[in-house]
């Protein structure tokens, strides 16, 4: 190493003697051999690394610094300015060393951390794992980081479910929330069961052709809902609905004359039930069907 | 580790899609059985219920959702039919539940109950289970609305 670099390194050291500079220049040289990083970028690193020399003892931090400097270099050849502050989910061997460093880095200011994360994230879009920075005062075990990520995922989804299940705005806490969700799903399934029972008992009672009756009844209700929605929503639903109705039911039932009946029913539905609510509990629906038959 | 996907998609098609599928399945049922013969009500109830679930699964997502696939597969097995699933880009079905003790024991009890309720829940991780539950709840409520409308429309005066 030339005199100039040694001098630079010596200046950067807040404490320590020339020996330190030798050791540091040694591994800087090693680093420079493997990577093409200018001295300036390395010297930018050193103010980060050096304060820890005093806290944790020289050799230990050097090792961790070394490993952190080398490891990110081996993975990504882009000369990052702060590689030793990055935590990556790699093999556990390198993980432990980097975690030491991350623990060390965790004592930094949080503003520095956040801006680091910002400048690292956009520059690595091709990586397919998350770079997580250990938060202040929390464990940096790889397991616990993964655990935390998982817990956050679950809580995000719990929030989603909370919006779905009615009456769960006040409830906080996973156990109670999950109880509510389970109850709601059970009640919905029971409702399906109950309604299918009702349908089964209703159907054989109708005198005329059940399929036609049901389909036409449904057409009417759909017509109602479509017409009501027409007043509220944009009218693109209406032609779509009509397409579905015309295409779908041609497929389901063959006779051609029946289509004309349907058309007339639907038109009647549109005209007469335009004002009524979407809630389709209309006994007058039956009245309209019977004269058609 | 997987990358974080921000938008969780739980879109459900409109009411018409559900009605269409349900009515088609019901008309199929009509064609199969003659309702003049005095059948046991229970059988009919069960058939209608199964038709409701199958039509819901088909309307809601077809084979794009885990719960609908599991439901369709289960129904096809009962009828001894073969269900063909198109090849998917992501390996969704073969997610083995890892036997690690990273799970919170308090919430896992409830998650177990949820797994029994939601079809296909046995092979899912907890976070995936909750996504599927959300979609399942939406589809179930839509189906209930459709059936309610039908019952109201057909109810005798």
């Amino acid at each position: 190493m030339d005199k100039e670099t040694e001098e630079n390194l010596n200046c950067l050291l807040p404490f320590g003697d020339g020996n330190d500079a030798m050791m540091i220049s040694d591994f800087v040289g090693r680093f420079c051999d493997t990577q093409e990083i200018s001295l300036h970028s390395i010297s930018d690193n050193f103010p980060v690394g050096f304060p820890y020399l005093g806290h944790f003892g020289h050799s230990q931090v050097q090792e961790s610094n070394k490993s952190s400097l080398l490891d990110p270099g081996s993975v990504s050849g882009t000369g990052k300015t702060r590689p030793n502050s990055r935590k990556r989910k790699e093999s556990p061997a390198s993980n432990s060393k980097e975690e030491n460093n991350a623990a060390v880095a965790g004592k930094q200011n949080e503003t520095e951390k956040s801006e680091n994360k910002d400048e690292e994230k956009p520059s690595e879009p091709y990586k397919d794992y998350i770079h997580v920075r250990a938060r202040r005062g929390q464990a940096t075990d790889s397991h616990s980081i993964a655990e935390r990520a998982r817990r956050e995922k679950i809580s995000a989804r719990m929030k989603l479910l909370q919006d779905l299940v009615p009456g769960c705005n006040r409830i906080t806490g996973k156990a109670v929330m999950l109880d509510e969700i389970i109850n709601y799903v059970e009640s919905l399934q029971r409702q399906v069961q109950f309604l299918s029972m009702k349908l089964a008992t209703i159907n054989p009672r109708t005198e005329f052709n059940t399929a036609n009756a049901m389909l036409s009844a449904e057409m009417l209700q759909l017509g109602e809902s479509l017409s009501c929605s027409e007043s509220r929503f944009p009218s693109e639903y209406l032609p779509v609905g009509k397409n579905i109705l015309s295409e779908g039911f041609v497929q389901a039932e063959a006779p051609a004359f029946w289509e004309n009946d349907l058309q007339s029913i639907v038109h009647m539905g549109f005209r007469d039930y335009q004002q009524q609510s979407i809630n389709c509990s209309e006994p007058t629906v039956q009245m309209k069907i019977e004269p058609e038959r | 580790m997987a990358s974080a996907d921000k938008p969780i998609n739980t879109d459900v098609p409109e009411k018409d899609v559900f009605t269409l599928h349900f009515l088609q399945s019901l008309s199929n049922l009509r064609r199969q059985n003659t309702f003049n013969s005095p059948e046991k009500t229970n059988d009919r109830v069960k058939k209608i219920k199964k038709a409701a679930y199958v039509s819901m699964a088909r309307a809601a997502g077809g084979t794009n959702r885990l719960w609908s696939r599991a439901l369709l597969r289960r129904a096809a097995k009962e009828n001894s039919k073969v269900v063909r699933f198109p090849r998917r880009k992501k390996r969704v079905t073969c997610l083995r539940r890892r036997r690690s003790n990273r799970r919170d024991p308090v919430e896992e009890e409830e998650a177990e109950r949820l797994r029994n309720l939601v079809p296909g829940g046995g092979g899912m991780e907890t976070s995936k289970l909750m996504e599927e539950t959300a979609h399942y709840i939406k589809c179930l409520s839509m189906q209930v609305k459709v059936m309610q409308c039908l019952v109201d429309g057909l109810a005798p005066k």
Side-chain angles (χ1 to χ4, degrees):
Chain A
M1 275 252 166
D2 44 340
K3 210 65 172 82
E4 192 192 280
T5 39
E6 230 184 65
E7 267 177 45
N8 279 343
L9 290 171
N10 269 335
C11 301
L12 291 169
L13 264 179
F15 26 68
D17 43 327
N19 280 342
D20 295 332
M22 282 312 291
M23 292 168 74
I24 290 166
S25 60
D26 188 30
F27 78 81
V28 163
R30 229 179 297 169
F31 188 47
C32 281
D33 285 343
T34 54
Q35 313 299 323
E36 278 146 35
I37 296 180
S38 70
L39 188 56
H40 290 295
S41 62
I42 297 178
S43 57
D44 280 345
N45 281 330
F46 280 15
V48 174
F50 281 171
Y52 305 122
L53 283 175
H55 294 293
F56 300 101
H58 192 54
S59 52
Q60 183 186 6
V61 181
Q62 257 206 345
E63 257 182 39
S64 52
N65 265 343
K66 211 192 304 188
S67 64
S68 64
L69 280 178
L70 285 179
D71 275 349
S74 57
V75 172
S76 75
T78 67
K80 290 275 163 60
T81 54
R82 290 181 189 258
N84 61 340
S85 51
R86 205 171 6 162
K87 176 170 169 46
R88 203 175 300 137
K89 301 197 179 174
E90 281 185 285
S91 60
S94 58
N95 250 355
S96 51
K97 285 193 188 150
E98 281 185 318
E99 276 144 28
N100 284 340
N101 226 9
V104 155
K107 308 237 162 114
Q108 278 180 347
N109 290 335
E110 297 193 313
T111 54
E112 205 178 15
K113 256 182 273 180
S114 57
E115 73 174 356
N116 263 347
K117 204 151 78 155
D118 284 341
E119 68 178 304
E120 279 175 15
K121 281 262 165 77
S123 49
E124 304 193 79
Y126 50 87
K127 295 276 193 238
D128 54 349
Y129 37 77
I130 305 176
H131 291 248
V132 177
R133 177 72 72 104
R135 285 196 218 142
R136 188 173 187 135
Q138 293 189 358
T140 58
D141 199 18
S142 72
H143 285 302
S144 52
I145 296 249
E147 181 75 26
R148 205 182 308 138
R150 184 183 150 263
R151 257 183 268 148
E152 278 169 12
K153 253 204 216 175
I154 289 186
S155 59
R157 270 142 186 141
M158 287 283 279
K159 253 191 274 182
L160 191 71
L161 280 170
Q162 205 169 15
D163 299 331
L164 274 184
V165 179
C168 276
N169 307 323
R170 311 303 172 85
I171 297 180
T172 48
K174 278 193 288 195
V176 188
M177 192 57 220
L178 278 170
D179 269 337
E180 282 297 311
I181 292 172
I182 290 173
N183 284 340
Y184 190 58
V185 171
E186 275 174 0
S187 82
L188 281 176
Q189 284 179 341
R190 258 181 274 141
Q191 266 182 313
V192 170
Q193 161 92 14
F194 175 66
L195 285 171
S196 60
M197 259 199 313
K198 255 189 145 179
L199 270 179
T201 57
I202 277 179
N203 265 324
R205 296 229 196 102
T206 49
E207 295 104 14
F208 37 89
N209 194 355
T210 51
N212 286 345
M214 260 176 30
L215 288 172
S216 54
E218 195 50 37
M219 295 278 279
L220 260 171
Q221 287 163 21
L222 270 184
E224 283 174 27
S225 60
L226 282 177
S227 61
C228 296
S229 56
E230 181 195 8
S231 51
R232 289 172 216 172
F233 304 137
S235 55
E236 60 230 24
Y237 288 139
L238 199 51
V240 168
K242 270 197 184 147
N243 278 340
I244 292 180
L245 295 177
S246 54
E247 284 169 27
F249 289 111
V250 165
Q251 227 174 321
E253 285 283 337
F257 72 95
W258 192 64
E259 250 182 72
N260 296 334
D261 284 349
L262 274 182
Q263 297 272 359
S264 53
I265 291 177
V266 168
H267 287 311
M268 268 168 42
F270 283 164
R271 257 183 285 123
D272 298 339
Y273 297 111
Q274 197 120 20
Q275 310 303 323
Q276 304 193 11
S277 68
I278 221 171
N279 198 4
C280 29
S281 49
E282 313 268 333
T284 52
V285 164
Q286 284 294 320
M287 268 168 41
K288 289 297 172 187
I289 295 179
E290 279 157 23
E292 288 301 319
R293 299 283 153 228
Chain B
M1 285 292 218
S3 59
D5 45 355
K6 298 292 174 160
I8 304 176
N9 185 21
T10 50
D11 289 338
V12 154
E14 292 281 324
K15 198 162 132 183
D16 337 356
V17 183
F18 281 89
T19 346
L20 194 66
H21 278 85
F22 189 45
L23 285 176
Q24 275 180 352
S25 67
L26 281 180
S27 66
N28 279 339
L29 273 183
R30 298 288 169 277
R31 264 191 236 132
Q32 286 170 17
N33 298 317
T34 54
F35 272 101
N36 307 327
S37 64
E39 276 186 7
K40 292 262 177 200
T41 333
N42 264 345
D43 284 349
R44 209 157 60 224
V45 167
K46 278 197 202 131
K47 283 200 194 119
I48 291 185
K49 186 168 90 156
K50 200 160 56 172
Y53 275 111
V54 167
S55 74
M56 173 174 80
R58 247 190 241 131
T63 51
N64 292 334
R65 286 278 164 178
L66 278 176
W67 64 265
S68 58
R69 295 170 126 224
L71 226 172
L72 288 172
R73 191 174 276 155
R74 198 194 300 171
K77 223 193 300 181
E78 286 173 15
N79 294 348
S80 67
K81 285 199 196 132
V82 177
V83 187
R84 222 169 283 129
F85 290 122
R87 290 278 304 271
R88 297 172 44 99
K89 283 184 244 163
K90 296 195 287 187
R91 284 165 58 89
V92 187
T93 46
C94 305
L95 192 65
R96 288 267 126 241
R97 224 189 325 170
R98 282 169 272 179
R99 301 258 155 234
S100 64
N101 26 343
R102 296 188 302 167
R103 297 170 186 259
D104 191 3
V106 174
E107 76 178 21
E108 274 314 301
E109 268 181 40
E110 324 272 336
E112 199 59 40
R113 282 164 66 189
L114 201 55
R115 265 180 248 269
N116 292 335
L117 280 180
V118 176
M124 289 189 232
E125 265 226 82
T126 311
S127 57
K128 190 74 183 162
L129 178 70
M130 310 193 86
E131 263 190 67
E132 296 288 314
T133 316
H135 195 256
Y136 186 57
I137 286 179
K138 275 193 191 169
C139 293
L140 263 182
S141 49
M142 191 71 80
Q143 182 75 18
V144 161
K145 266 187 235 169
V146 163
M147 289 173 78
Q148 186 74 46
C149 271
L150 202 58
V151 165
D152 287 339
L154 289 177
K157 263 198 299 179

